[in-house]
Amino acid sequence: MNLSRRDFMAILGVAGASGFLAPGAVAASWGSGKDPYEIQPYGNVTLLHITDTHAQLLPVWWREPGTNIGTHQQHEWGVTPHIVGKWKLDYYGIKADTPEGYALSCLDFDAMAHKYGKIGGYAHIATLVKRYREQLGSRAILLDGGDAWQGSATSLWTKAEDMVGAQNLLKEDYFVGHWEFTYGADRVEYLLKHKLQAKFLSQNVFTIPWDEPVFDPYDIREINGRKVAIIGQSFPFTPIANPAYFIPKWSFGIHPQHMQKMVDECREKHHADVVVVLSHNGADVDKKMASQVNGIDIILGGHTHEIMGPKPVMVNKTLIINTSTNGKFLARFDLDVGKGRLKGFRFYYLPILSNMIPADPEMSAYIEKVRAPYAEKLAEPLAVTESLLYRRDNFNGTFDQLICNALREELDCEAAFSPGFRWGYTKLPGETITMEDVMGQTAITYPEVTVTEYTGAELKNVMEQVADNLFNPDPYYIQGGDMIRVGNIQYTFNPAETINKRITDLRVGGKMVHPSKKYKVAGWAAMQKVEGTPVWDIFSKWLKDKKTVRVDHRDNPVLTKNMKGNPGIAYPQEYDL
């Protein structure tokens, strides 16, 4: 059912609050109890932040991860964002059967989704952004943390032009990138120069071999007599996490020393009163960077799709947030900026519950127009799901389990790999999977499927390398993404171990893997240029043939007992804990 406004108000019962809040202060994420989106202005500068919308122009379902493990070795056991499910709700004092419980956890997702509706949608985001701009005037600026141009069929087929149009209608002020770069340097430069109205910033992208900045590293905006510095940080591992051949003449990196130089330059040369970093580092990398770089007031983070709240995290006097994905939240910082310092703030995570926010007519008309040429293809029915389909989890999500099953069966392979992407929205039991939904899980510029013969030793090495990317104790070696998804592969896993020691008891089809034996494995999203059929063609054919699908088993690992009680695991029974 859909909630009426009256029902919503009755259930909400949450009042607004401000300042540096202690755990349990639920009120930090909403406005007043009368209208959850009504916020009394505070201070003299307002930052509005969205990130990782992944090209979803329309509202979608989005299930929070049931597994987001931190380890003692990473010093992230029980630390946000590595808290999920009931652990997270208890930590912040949030009840499960509430709008906030639905927005912040994976618990009872099917029932909660039917109760509270889809999230996001650019027409609904536009309504809220316009409301605040009308209220606040020029003191409000909108910052987009990147990954806006990838994740949908229409964005792929228009080479991101549909998303640029939506960004322009939102009147975004600043933008950084990650998946944007997978369209290639020429396309990125064309769109930034000729189409996008927002200013693209990156202090950490340089030319090869001259080591010159590709983009402006920062911008200074004067608001109400105060100088606000915005420094851009694009995804530092782009040529590692994605094919380097898309941007062969650009180098990336975290570059904390250069970041410090940019902060100092903003402070000393331009006399900035507040310094804001618009980042696509990922939550753990942002926290480490903040510990090393002095003088950053706020990091508006993205990439890892976390909800770091409902209150900001503070590291080295720097406030850090990460504003989810798929347009699920709009973050709002109201700042009291004094001469040379941030005097105070009020912070709100505002869930974009599409049932509660009317669609903006101008944006709705635009979305309908850009989707019209593709509407018939997008709506093509493929199969009905009897299971909840989702991707986001440290290990196999149910959508990727289906993809692995499809690759194995269609290509007659013993095993399958699917990359640990964190984008890809959710489908509820009983819904029809359409071609649009398939593209919502697979729409990338390097979709070719390959079949590779791996030795057992090579198979283990691939998995160990990905695991180290996820669980390395140094955040600067964590490049985002989740564990590689597997089909017909079983293993025991210890996240707290070191590389080459995390995976034991590795099996294919239930049989122990022999180091020298070869195994036929299907996979997609190769890092080198390859020939092959796009994954969406194989997946959609398989779904059509099946007509009805369900996931009764996921190829999740058995976790070692030292993970028992980890607050990053909502359902320990899934891992034999």
Side-chain angles (χ1 to χ4, degrees), residues 172-304:
E172 292 182 355
D173 293 281
Y174 298 103
F175 187 42
V176 296
H178 167 208
W179 275 93
E180 287 73 16
F181 296 115
T182 63
Y183 287 102
D186 290 345
R187 181 63 176 171
V188 169
E189 290 185 312
Y190 170 77
L191 291 174
L192 296 184
K193 183 177 181 180
H194 299 287
K195 296 292 183 177
L196 186 70
Q197 295 168 9
K199 189 170 182 61
F200 192 89
L201 302 172
S202 285
Q203 74 88 26
N204 61 324
V205 184
F206 299 91
T207 59
I208 299 172
W210 304 110
D211 208 28
E212 296 174 342
V214 177
F215 308 103
D216 289 341
Y218 62 79
D219 190 47
I220 307 293
R221 176 76 66 93
E222 186 165 323
I223 302 174
N224 283 334
R226 297 292 185 238
K227 289 185 176 181
V228 179
I230 310 293
I231 304 174
Q233 177 87 350
S234 289
F235 182 53
F237 308 111
T238 296
I240 301 171
N242 307 99
Y245 60 77
F246 289 124
I247 31 87
K249 296 182 180 179
W250 295 350
S251 70
F252 292 68
I254 302 168
H255 296 298
Q257 294 85 1
H258 191 258
M259 176 65 79
Q260 184 68 71
K261 181 180 177 181
M262 295 299 95
V263 172
D264 294 343
E265 194 171 298
C266 290
R267 294 280 190 188
E268 296 166 9
K269 180 179 178 180
H270 299 286
H271 307 290
D273 299 302
V274 63
V275 175
V276 177
V277 172
L278 179 60
S279 168
H280 203 89
N281 276 337
D284 293 323
V285 178
D286 277 336
K287 290 197 289 184
K288 180 170 180 178
M289 187 179 72
S291 74
Q292 295 180 329
V293 180
N294 298 315
I296 301 173
D297 293 295
I298 296 170
I299 296 178
L300 303 176
H303 178 61
T304 42

Side-chain angles (χ1 to χ4, degrees), residues 38-279:
E38 179 64 34
I39 297 171
Q40 293 303 310
Y42 166 84
N44 49 11
V45 174
T46 295
L47 309 175
L48 302 174
H49 180 239
I50 59 173
T51 190
D52 295 275
T53 57
H54 281 286
Q56 297 307 320
L57 289 171
L58 299 176
V60 296
W61 310 112
W62 175 259
R63 175 193 182 269
E64 289 300 309
T67 312
N68 188 355
I69 299 174
T71 69
H72 287 306
Q73 285 75 4
Q74 289 176 307
H75 308 291
E76 293 294 343
W77 182 297
V79 176
T80 187
H82 301 288
I83 313 173
V84 299
K86 186 176 185 298
W87 298 95
K88 185 165 192 170
L89 299 187
D90 288 349
Y91 182 80
Y92 288 114
I94 297 169
K95 294 182 179 179
D97 190 9
T98 63
E100 279 200 330
Y102 168 55
L104 292 172
S105 86
C106 60
L107 299 180
D108 202 14
F109 184 81
D110 184 10
M112 293 298 97
H114 281 99
K115 187 170 187 177
Y116 294 114
K118 292 185 176 182
I119 57 91
Y122 270 71
H124 304 277
I125 297 170
T127 295
L128 206 54
V129 169
K130 284 184 177 181
R131 173 177 175 175
Y132 293 147
R133 280 198 163 125
E134 289 172 3
Q135 176 191 36
L136 301 166
S138 60
R139 65 170 274 176
I141 57 175
L142 177 59
L143 304 97
D144 187 328
D147 279 2
W149 296 358
Q150 179 277 330
S152 72
T154 56
S155 187
L156 181 68
W157 296 338
T158 64
K159 297 182 180 178
E161 205 148 342
D162 67 328
M163 296 310 303
V164 170
Q167 290 176 293
N168 289 344
L169 276 180
L170 278 182
K171 294 181 170 58
E172 292 182 355
D173 293 281
Y174 298 103
F175 187 42
V176 296
H178 167 208
W179 275 93
E180 287 73 16
F181 296 115
T182 63
Y183 287 102
D186 290 345
R187 181 63 176 171
V188 169
E189 290 185 312
Y190 170 77
L191 291 174
L192 296 184
K193 183 177 181 180
H194 299 287
K195 296 292 183 177
L196 186 70
Q197 295 168 9
K199 189 170 182 61
F200 192 89
L201 302 172
S202 285
Q203 74 88 26
N204 61 324
V205 184
F206 299 91
T207 59
I208 299 172
W210 304 110
D211 208 28
E212 296 174 342
V214 177
F215 308 103
D216 289 341
Y218 62 79
D219 190 47
I220 307 293
R221 176 76 66 93
E222 186 165 323
I223 302 174
N224 283 334
R226 297 292 185 238
K227 289 185 176 181
V228 179
I230 310 293
I231 304 174
Q233 177 87 350
S234 289
F235 182 53
F237 308 111
T238 296
I240 301 171
N242 307 99
Y245 60 77
F246 289 124
I247 31 87
K249 296 182 180 179
W250 295 350
S251 70
F252 292 68
I254 302 168
H255 296 298
Q257 294 85 1
H258 191 258
M259 176 65 79
Q260 184 68 71
K261 181 180 177 181
M262 295 299 95
V263 172
D264 294 343
E265 194 171 298
C266 290
R267 294 280 190 188
E268 296 166 9
K269 180 179 178 180
H270 299 286
H271 307 290
D273 299 302
V274 63
V275 175
V276 177
V277 172
L278 179 60
S279 168

